[in-house]
Amino acid sequence: MTSRKTLIRWLSACLLLATATSSRAADHLDTPTVIADPAADIGDLYAWTSADGRRLNLVMDIVGQRFSDQIQYVFHVDSGPAFGRTTASMTVGCRFDRAGIAQCWADHADRVQGDVGDPRGLDGLRKRMRVFAGVRDDPYFNNVRGTRAALNAAGDAIRQGKAPKDASGFHRFDDETLALIRERWTQTNGGPAMNFLAGWKTSALVISVDLAVVSGGGPMLAVWATTERRQPAPADDGAPPTGAPIDRMGRALTGNALLGTLAEDDIADQLKEAYNRADRQGWAAFETEIARNLALYDSFDGIPGNQWLADMAKPAPERYRRLARLLADDRLWVDSRQTRCDAYLAVERSAFGEPIADCGGRTPNHNVNGVFRSLLIRGTPDRVDDGVAHDDRQHSTVDFPFLAAPAGATDSKIALANLDALIRQNAGEPASIDLVLLRMQFAADYAALDRVAELTERGPASVRQLLQRAKARAAAHRFAQALEDLDAAARAGAGDQQVQSQRASIWVATGRAEQALPWLRARQAARPGFATRFALARGEAAAGRLEEADTMYAAALQDLDTTSPFPEAALCFARAQMWAEQGGDPTRGEGLYREALRLVPQFVAARVHLAELLAARGDASGAAALLEPVAEASGEPQALALLSAMHSRIGQPHAARREIGLARQRFDALLAKHPLAFADHAAEFYLGVGDDAKRALSWAQMNVSGRQTRRAHLLLLRALRMNGRDAEARSLEQRIRVSFDPRAA
């Protein structure tokens, strides 16, 4: 269980360039691939025996608000005679079509097909399994903010040299830091501890299956779950379907808390991507990394070696190897002979000298954080470090489908529903900045700039806050201030990769792509993948190397492994903008804009840019049809301005006048708060239907003062000519010819 995947790391990497260059649960801090696709993002896994000793109850919940038709959801159940010894394996799982109709299986033993949304469940053909899939209350509880604050305090002390490390990896924090860690862990924003996920809804797949079906190798069961990219439908031979892994989970917290705990995001991401995709034979490869982070947790009470299963008799590097080996085999163990299920990790603890008559596993009511962290910090399972001991709702271990019904659950059908849910989950947190800015990118929700400013401009400027503030300021085109924040973050000990990735995006945005390209190329070569190739493609395009950029965009698309529409839509938009505006190929641009809209119909910028292409070739009605829903839903001023021009063309002057007035009001409001962010759009508006050449020139000059790009200079050139300043226009035109490659934007 990581953490309800609150930090949208892939989205951050992709968004970095997009915002600068464009006009949660147990498994709650996950990888870019998984985070970008909430429908593939496993929040938690639960498994326990029924009170009558007849069934194994399985629950997998996902972060998304609905299940995807591109993913299959699979429980793996290994069985054997004793802990650590399994001799048989089987799968229990489901896949869904676009209408939500399920096809589920319990290996060869039973099948379910139909609508499984009724909380009473749908029985299998042979009555050996029952299935429910739908929105429920999330039973996981955790003081995420307190935990993050405690880990930040530890990380700051380590970076400042206040926590020397011995050969085992144990950090000797001073007493002041230990007290600060304990204090932060039991608070939320300096006040009483609060469950960060109170009221959070999750999509839960619940399957209750006969024990005889899953215990072919013996009574001891080892359970883990995966989400998998669906492969073509299998032949109708009764065999369970297979798929390519996206996310996986066994025990709570192992995959997230013990991989790159204090590492830079990109290093932690790489570890977790590899962890999620590793097959059983590859799990042991993570023992060393887990042991390194176990040493960190052992440090949090200042006493070396009192962690559960730590062996002080071993040479220092091997002190934590026994527990690391156990946790690397990341399966949730259930003793199916037991019907009492009250003790988390009961099977594991029994196997190492603490006999407990309990099925183990995990029920929706287990305090996994308290048990797990207490074992890792002090070796006993009896402390609640984060101050949250139970969920805000009551869940059942007896009554199917076990998880409490959500309060006011809705089943959203639009692509932005999961994103909106994540934003609500992270409300008020710096971690929400990426989410809110992503929504702004796609839905033109410009109030996002106010929200991220509120989050980042207040309070003391720690390293993390400086990095977040730099991102927020870059989104508002306050590039000089953003660079100052990055310099300050670097001086305060921020990781080079974190600083340089943001710095490179700003250089690209402000006409310094050539300065950014060496780093972007080196980064892509060292860590090839969607995010690094996307970033490099944007840099190559900004430098005027369109064919090189297009090749890199294509390579990035090949690396994309998610069913979320957002990454591919963002790439299509960037590629379309490059060809339409830089490459002089509007036909190619139009096709790519249409593909972006096919993926995300609510993508406002894609609609506006496509409408501009249609208007340029005389299709005013087609452009208006694209813009009308945008103008109504978001009041986006560019859309309103262009729509007014289209309505004038097709003989609707009253609508046109109304839209010009609304556009002017919107621009005035936005420019009053975020002048640099909207200077270029304002100049274009006043050069067009806004009909105010002097104001256009003023905004064009402000725009070029912060962005020395060819596009900014061309906008200023238009404004100079519109104001009759021909001599200045001729001089600027000459500078543009000398300074910019004609292919550059």
Side-chain angles (χ1 to χ4, degrees):
M1 182 163 91
T2 29
S3 157
R4 183 61 70 193
K5 298 168 181 172
T6 57
L7 303 181
I8 308 301
R9 288 182 181 146
W10 177 88
L11 298 178
S12 174
C14 181
L15 189 62
L16 217 53
L17 279 167
T19 56
T21 59
S22 73
S23 305
R24 137 211 128 143
D27 199 30
H28 300 92
L29 293 169
D30 217 299
T31 68
T33 297
V34 174
I35 288 171
D37 189 359
D41 187 348
I42 302 174
D44 292 283
L45 168 67
Y46 304 87
W48 72 99
T49 54
S50 62
D52 61 8
R54 296 180 179 180
R55 292 205 160 193
L56 175 68
N57 298 321
L58 299 167
V59 178
M60 178 198 314
D61 64 34
I62 63 169
V63 174
Q65 297 292 288
R66 58 181 303 185
F67 295 94
S68 170
D69 65 328
Q70 299 300 310
I71 296 168
Q72 60 189 31
Y73 303 84
V74 183
F75 300 96
H76 304 261
V77 185
D78 304 330
S79 56
F83 172 75
R85 294 169 53 204
T86 55
T87 57
S89 300
M90 66 163 299
T91 64
V92 180
C94 293
R95 47 170 47 183
F96 300 85
D97 66 15
R98 291 190 177 184
I101 300 301
Q103 291 182 319
C104 306
W105 65 90
D107 218 16
H108 295 274
D110 206 354
R111 288 284 189 276
V112 168
Q113 181 163 354
D115 183 353
V116 293
D118 189 321
R120 293 171 296 182
L122 185 62
D123 287 333
L125 296 174
R126 300 176 183 174
K127 307 296 184 183
R128 308 203 72 180
M129 64 186 297
R130 177 178 294 181
V131 180
F132 163 78
V135 178
R136 307 299 284 178
D137 184 83
D138 189 339
Y140 181 64
F141 49 94
N142 190 359
N143 178 10
V144 172
R145 296 174 183 174
T147 299
R148 189 70 263 169
L151 293 176
N152 287 344
D156 289 344
I158 292 170
R159 282 189 292 272
Q160 295 165 11
K162 296 180 179 179
K165 183 172 63 172
D166 66 20
S168 72
F170 181 91
H171 288 273
R172 294 192 176 275
F173 294 103
D174 59 31
D175 290 343
E176 181 182 357
T177 301
L178 288 172
L180 182 61
I181 291 171
R182 287 193 294 269
E183 177 186 85
R184 294 276 177 84
W185 222 318
T186 58
Q187 297 178 349
T188 297
N189 296 335
M194 298 175 62
N195 177 17
F196 186 57
L197 301 172
W200 174 250
K201 303 177 184 68
T202 186
S203 289
L205 174 61
V206 182
I207 301 180
S208 187
V209 59
D210 285 358
L211 277 173
V213 171
V214 296
S215 58
M220 201 66 76
L221 310 179
V223 183
W224 48 294
T226 56
T227 52
E228 302 171 355
R229 180 176 291 280
R230 285 180 59 160
Q231 304 297 332
D236 189 15
D237 58 2
T242 59
I246 301 173
D247 195 13
R248 75 172 169 96
M249 183 181 176
R251 297 183 188 89
L253 293 168
T254 299
N256 193 68
L258 298 175
L259 296 177
T261 306
L262 297 180
E264 291 186 25
D265 287 351
D266 61 321
I267 295 172
D269 289 342
Q270 186 180 36
L271 282 167
K272 292 170 188 175
E273 293 282 8
Y275 179 85
N276 282 344
R277 297 174 191 283
D279 57 22
R280 282 285 315 283
Q281 290 69 36
W283 291 3
F286 296 91
E287 284 182 18
T288 299
E289 173 63 20
I290 291 173
R292 182 182 300 116
N293 292 287
L294 287 173
L296 174 66
Y297 272 85
D298 190 27
S299 309
F300 288 153
D301 67 347
I303 303 173
N306 66 336
Q307 183 179 90
W308 182 49
L309 299 186
D311 190 347
M312 292 294 288
K314 294 279 187 181
E318 296 297 311
R319 181 181 296 170
Y320 305 101
R321 181 66 62 177
R322 182 165 55 174
L323 181 53
R325 184 174 298 115
L326 184 153
L327 294 176
D329 182 6
D330 192 13
R331 296 180 289 176
L332 184 62
W333 287 85
V334 179
D335 185 346
S336 68
R337 296 166 297 190
Q338 303 289 338
T339 57
R340 177 183 176 183
C341 302
D342 296 329
Y344 183 57
L345 298 178
V347 174
E348 291 89 335
R349 288 154 59 193
S350 294
F352 287 92
E354 185 185 352
I356 304 173
D358 193 281
C359 86
R362 180 188 176 191
T363 75
N365 297 318
H366 278 158
N367 184 359
V368 295
N369 299 303
V371 173
F372 190 71
R373 291 192 181 123
S374 189
L375 287 169
L376 266 55
I377 293 172
R378 64 189 58 81
T380 63
D382 53 358
R383 291 280 292 276
V384 180
D385 289 289
D386 69 0
V388 177
H390 55 78
D391 192 30
D392 54 306
R393 300 289 301 278
Q394 290 291 320
H395 306 278
S396 176
T397 60
V398 177
D399 298 324
F400 190 92
F402 313 117
L403 275 57
T410 58
D411 184 14
S412 178
K413 301 297 184 182
I414 64 173
L416 291 170
N418 291 330
L419 179 60
D420 288 338
L422 287 171
I423 290 172
R424 289 193 299 273
Q425 174 197 340
N426 287 276
E429 281 290 288
S432 68
I433 289 173
D434 295 322
L435 297 163
V436 174
L437 290 178
L438 182 77
R439 195 181 200 289
M440 182 185 76
Q441 179 191 353
F442 284 95
D445 179 9
Y446 297 138
L449 294 175
D450 299 332
R451 293 198 292 274
V452 297
E454 181 184 354
L455 285 171
T456 58
E457 298 289 341
R458 66 190 183 193
S462 66
V463 169
R464 182 179 296 272
Q465 287 166 322
L466 284 166
L467 292 170
Q468 294 282 28
R469 192 170 72 186
K471 188 179 299 180
R473 286 175 166 177
H477 292 189
R478 295 162 61 186
F479 298 118
Q481 290 178 302
L483 289 171
E484 290 173 1
D485 282 340
L486 293 176
D487 291 341
R491 291 193 297 271
D496 179 68
Q497 303 295 346
Q498 292 175 296
V499 171
Q500 193 59 28
S501 61
Q502 291 197 53
R503 191 176 280 147
S505 75
I506 292 172
W507 288 343
V508 170
T510 55
R512 299 158 65 185
E514 294 290 356
Q515 191 173 346
L517 279 171
W519 187 86
L520 291 172
R521 289 167 180 158
R523 182 72 176 148
Q524 190 276 143
R527 298 188 184 280
F530 178 83
T532 58
R533 286 182 169 139
F534 191 8
L536 177 55
R538 297 296 293 262
E540 298 283 13
R545 287 183 273 274
L546 305 195
E547 293 296 343
E548 294 90 334
D550 200 64
T551 299
M552 192 55 61
Y553 279 131
L557 196 57
Q558 290 299 312
D559 286 327
L560 187 58
D561 186 13
T562 176
T563 62
S564 169
F566 295 121
E568 187 175 353
L571 185 146
C572 288
F573 177 81
R575 207 172 181 182
Q577 195 173 25
M578 179 185 75
W579 286 117
E581 299 182 14
Q582 299 173 242
D585 191 346
T587 301
R588 194 170 183 179
E590 181 176 330
L592 287 162
Y593 284 135
R594 290 191 184 280
E595 179 63 11
L597 288 172
R598 183 190 68 80
L599 292 161
V600 181
Q602 302 85 3
F603 197 164
V604 171
R607 282 182 173 267
V608 172
H609 282 255
L610 178 57
E612 288 174 341
L613 294 182
L614 297 184
R617 62 178 172 85
D619 185 1
S621 295
L626 280 169
L627 296 168
E628 284 165 352
V630 171
E632 181 178 351
S634 69
E636 207 286 329
Q638 277 186 291
L640 285 165
L642 183 55
L643 182 58
S644 72
M646 297 303 99
H647 280 159
S648 291
R649 286 192 198 179
I650 60 179
Q652 298 183 25
H654 296 296
R657 284 194 295 271
R658 173 180 172 275
E659 287 145 5
I660 290 173
L662 289 172
R664 185 174 283 108
Q665 292 173 17
R666 285 287 287 153
F667 271 124
D668 286 345
L670 291 169
L671 291 166
K673 291 183 177 181
H674 309 287
L676 290 170
F678 297 96
D680 54 346
H681 297 325
E684 291 170 348
F685 171 70
Y686 288 113
L687 284 172
V689 295
D691 193 23
D692 191 331
K694 289 184 179 179
R695 294 189 73 178
L697 179 58
S698 176
W699 290 117
Q701 289 170 328
M702 177 180 285
N703 180 53
V704 84
S705 70
R707 306 178 73 184
Q708 295 293 311
T709 62
R710 186 173 189 268
R711 182 174 183 174
H713 282 89
L714 288 173
L715 183 59
L716 178 58
L717 180 63
R718 286 174 55 203
L720 288 169
R721 287 172 174 165
M722 185 72 74
N723 280 272
R725 296 165 65 165
D726 295 335
E728 292 173 78
R730 285 193 296 271
S731 176
L732 178 59
E733 187 173 23
Q734 180 61 29
R735 291 201 304 272
I736 292 171
R737 289 197 188 100
V738 171
S739 301
F740 297 99
D741 184 293
R743 295 176 301 166

